[in-house]
Amino acid sequence: MELLFAVLGGILLGAVAHVVVPRRTTRGVLVAPAVGGIAAAVLWEALTWAGWPYDGTWIWVVALLGSAAVALVVAVVLGRRRTAADEAHYERLVKQGA
């Protein structure tokens, strides 16, 4: 049950990352929430396999802050790469005269 709550927290933090990070229109609406949920699930499972207790504070802190950090990084990187790719494509089209 705790895994479900951790994943939901990761999804919510990913949604916040989508809204907070600029260049929202250059990436999908569900990319950051999906990445946040996946990161939270992976971190939670890794920490439980490492022996951290389910009811401990640090497992929640690490899983949720880690998923938020991963979602923020993915949102920033995808936004920058998409903007650069769009500009390169536009320059290529202008050069070809299309």
Side-chain angles (χ1 to χ4, degrees):
M1 187 59 122
E2 289 87 358
L3 175 61
L4 174 68
F5 293 136
V7 171
L8 288 175
I11 291 170
L12 288 173
L13 291 171
V16 169
H18 174 73
V19 172
V20 170
V21 174
R23 298 186 184 111
R24 257 176 286 205
T25 58
T26 61
R27 60 184 179 271
V29 176
L30 296 178
V31 170
V35 168
I38 291 167
V42 169
L43 283 169
W44 183 270
E45 285 301 315
L47 293 174
T48 56
W49 289 342
W52 291 26
Y54 292 113
D55 58 349
T57 303
W58 287 110
I59 192 169
W60 288 100
V61 171
V62 171
L64 293 178
L65 290 181
S67 67
V70 170
L72 282 170
V73 168
V74 166
V76 168
V77 169
L78 283 180
R80 287 182 184 167
R81 290 192 67 192
R82 176 67 188 267
T83 302
D86 287 350
E87 289 172 0
H89 182 67
Y90 176 74
E91 292 299 323
R92 207 169 43 246
L93 289 176
V94 168
K95 189 183 285 185
Q96 292 176 355

